Amino acid sequence: MTPRRVPWMVVGLAVVVWVVMQFGWYADAVITDIPVYREAGEAMLDGRIPYRDFSLEYPPLAAALFALVALVPLPYAGVFSVVMLLCLIATALSALAIARELDLGAGRQLLAGVAVAVSPLLIGNLVESRFDLLLAALMGWMIWAMVAGRWQLAWTLFGLATLAKLIPLILAPVLVLFQRHREGLARALAGLVGGVGLAAAGVLPFLVASPGGTWDIARYHLERPLQVESIGSAYLILLDKLADIGLAVENSYGSQGLSGDGAAAIAAISSAVLVVLVAAVAITFALGLRRSRAPGDARLLVAAVAATLAAGLAAGKVLSPQFLLWLMPAAFLIAGRYGRAALGIALAAFLATGIYFPHRYWDLVAFDALPVVLLLIRDALLIALVAACWPRPHIGERGDAGPLGRASEAREGRAERAVAARYLTD
């Protein structure tokens, strides 16, 4: 297959996968967020301002998406599904683009693109009833812009991704470290200020209209209890199965969480662990950058991004199933000896999630054995994924990753010989 045909093949595969999801088991949408999105979009078309006139847990770019879909005079769910298909295609193409910048072989490029395209078959139809594929697409192209040295574009996409969901903020340390490595600290900090400034500019009009209502975006997430699918909850549910500690489930904040002092303590510990993990990834990444250069430093960046996002899932007090989509495409593009393991673990986590959600979700809430076991397996896979994606310094060393390193060295050697042949004489 010629390289020019690969993107078209991946796009076609994504479309076929999306069509398959409209039938049979996949079409049975038991739990969906579409009514929430539609209600918000229609309210904005009626002239109501989000955060001031009605509550909305999502940042402004998400609100804009809901309104744009509502503008189309067709069934809301169908239009939203098409938009998410476009986001899936954009994410798959970003995987191919990043793989090329990382100097991965043709087979690995194709594998990453195909993995993104078929991921809905593993994780299920939640991909078309949640907007997290938009975030995956924005972060995918943000990573590409970073490794390609398109700094302004990278930070613009960072700001837009933050306006869709707040989670990209935890990537700021590794992004700054990478640009500092290539461009210097001053430019890296200027880029960060620009990205954060764009996000702030998007929030400012709503903040002026309703300071309290806009602050509710952050407060909503800060005050959420330990969600039932999080790793902390999985630990407590297992403990309840073994020792009958009397867990209680509360319906709040649009999901199901665990109540009680034990759950609150685990939530606090999870938040502390998240901070430690994000810092540890950044420190390891910074150490690896000291002895790496392109494309090794870019491979380290992708690993650091993937490890940070996986840590956000593993240590977060909320772990809704659609959050796994944030792992694309970074977790599918890890170089080095653990690269294919990371890809396999990520896909296995997708599959474990798709088996219990949405069809067995309420059984999980009732602490039935099978979905609890599936949840424990999925959460264990996420912990393993953090380890597999960890930005080990050897990933960025010259000559690492077998054929990848040798290909880079071969190109450098050819370039040096060409210069010598042209300008040097015996």
Side-chain angles (χ1 to χ4, degrees):
M1 180 181 298
T2 62
R4 291 183 180 181
R5 293 183 179 179
V6 170
W8 292 108
M9 192 211 77
V10 170
V11 169
L13 181 59
V15 173
V16 170
V17 166
W18 213 262
V19 171
V20 169
M21 285 200 308
Q22 308 311 308
F23 302 96
W25 185 78
Y26 290 103
D28 186 13
V30 179
I31 303 173
T32 176
D33 284 354
I34 291 296
V36 175
Y37 302 162
R38 181 174 57 240
E39 182 179 354
E42 291 173 350
M44 284 180 274
L45 294 188
D46 289 339
R48 298 169 64 192
I49 297 176
Y51 320 118
R52 188 193 73 176
D53 300 330
F54 65 95
S55 298
L56 188 65
E57 65 181 275
Y58 307 110
L61 185 60
L65 171 66
F66 305 157
L68 287 173
V69 174
L71 277 172
V72 180
L74 293 170
Y76 193 95
V79 176
F80 192 88
S81 177
V82 171
V83 173
M84 289 303 103
L85 168 59
L86 296 176
C87 290
L88 176 68
I89 290 172
T91 305
L93 293 178
S94 76
L96 296 177
I98 296 167
R100 287 193 295 270
E101 289 293 334
L102 298 183
D103 200 18
L104 298 179
R108 189 66 194 282
Q109 292 179 31
L110 179 60
L111 180 61
V114 168
V116 173
V118 303
S119 61
L121 295 179
L122 302 178
I123 200 168
N125 63 7
L126 65 85
V127 296
E128 59 177 339
S129 61
R130 312 294 194 280
F131 70 92
D132 293 77
L133 278 174
L134 171 64
L135 188 62
L138 289 171
M139 290 197 295
W141 285 105
M142 176 197 73
I143 296 169
W144 171 81
M146 272 282 166
V147 300
R150 310 240 179 134
W151 310 112
Q152 186 174 357
L153 175 59
W155 287 111
T156 298
L157 291 170
F158 170 84
L160 292 174
T162 303
L163 282 171
K165 280 199 171 180
L166 300 179
I167 191 65
L169 289 173
I170 70 173
L171 299 177
V174 298
L175 299 181
V176 169
L177 286 169
F178 182 72
Q179 189 173 359
R180 185 199 67 168
H181 172 71
R182 286 197 174 181
E183 294 281 303
L185 181 59
R187 292 186 179 182
L189 292 178
L192 175 64
V193 170
V196 173
L198 174 61
V203 173
L204 184 60
F206 303 99
L207 186 63
V208 171
S210 177
T214 305
W215 168 246
D216 281 342
I217 303 173
R219 183 168 57 191
Y220 178 94
H221 296 286
L222 291 172
E223 294 179 353
R224 290 186 70 173
L226 192 68
Q227 194 251 353
V228 72
E229 295 167 271
S230 67
I231 288 180
S233 287
Y235 164 78
L236 288 176
I237 293 171
L238 177 61
L239 191 60
D240 183 72
K241 284 289 185 183
L242 297 175
D244 192 18
I245 61 175
L247 281 183
V249 176
E250 63 177 42
N251 298 313
S252 61
Y253 296 88
S255 67
Q256 288 65 49
L258 300 183
S259 61
D261 294 337
I266 294 294
I269 293 171
S270 296
S271 299
V273 170
L274 174 58
V275 173
V276 171
L277 283 175
V278 170
V281 171
I283 291 169
T284 308
F285 179 50
L287 293 174
L289 285 176
R290 291 181 178 180
R291 50 188 180 184
S292 67
R293 60 179 180 177
D297 57 351
R299 300 198 299 270
L300 268 175
L301 172 67
V302 172
V305 168
T308 301
L309 291 172
L313 298 183
K317 66 178 182 178
V318 177
L319 181 47
S320 296
Q322 65 269 21
F323 292 0
L324 270 70
L325 298 173
W326 306 344
L327 296 170
M328 300 190 304
F332 297 175
L333 291 165
I334 306 300
R337 66 179 68 102
Y338 299 106
R340 285 180 172 78
L343 173 60
I345 293 169
L347 293 177
F350 277 40
L351 178 59
T353 302
I355 292 174
Y356 82 79
F357 188 92
H359 298 279
R360 294 183 175 88
Y361 176 74
W362 295 113
D363 295 332
L364 171 64
V365 173
F367 302 159
D368 287 356
L370 178 58
V372 167
V373 169
L374 290 170
L375 177 67
L376 290 169
I377 292 172
R378 195 281 305 274
D379 288 350
L381 287 168
L382 289 177
I383 294 173
L385 185 63
V386 176
C389 294
W390 200 266
R392 297 166 177 81
H394 73 79
I395 293 177
E397 291 176 0
R398 183 179 177 130
D400 176 64
L404 171 60
R406 290 193 293 272
S408 298
E409 291 182 356
R411 278 201 310 275
E412 291 175 3
R414 286 196 299 270
E416 291 170 358
R417 289 193 296 272
V419 171
R422 182 171 182 179
Y423 295 107
L424 302 181
T425 58
D426 294 332

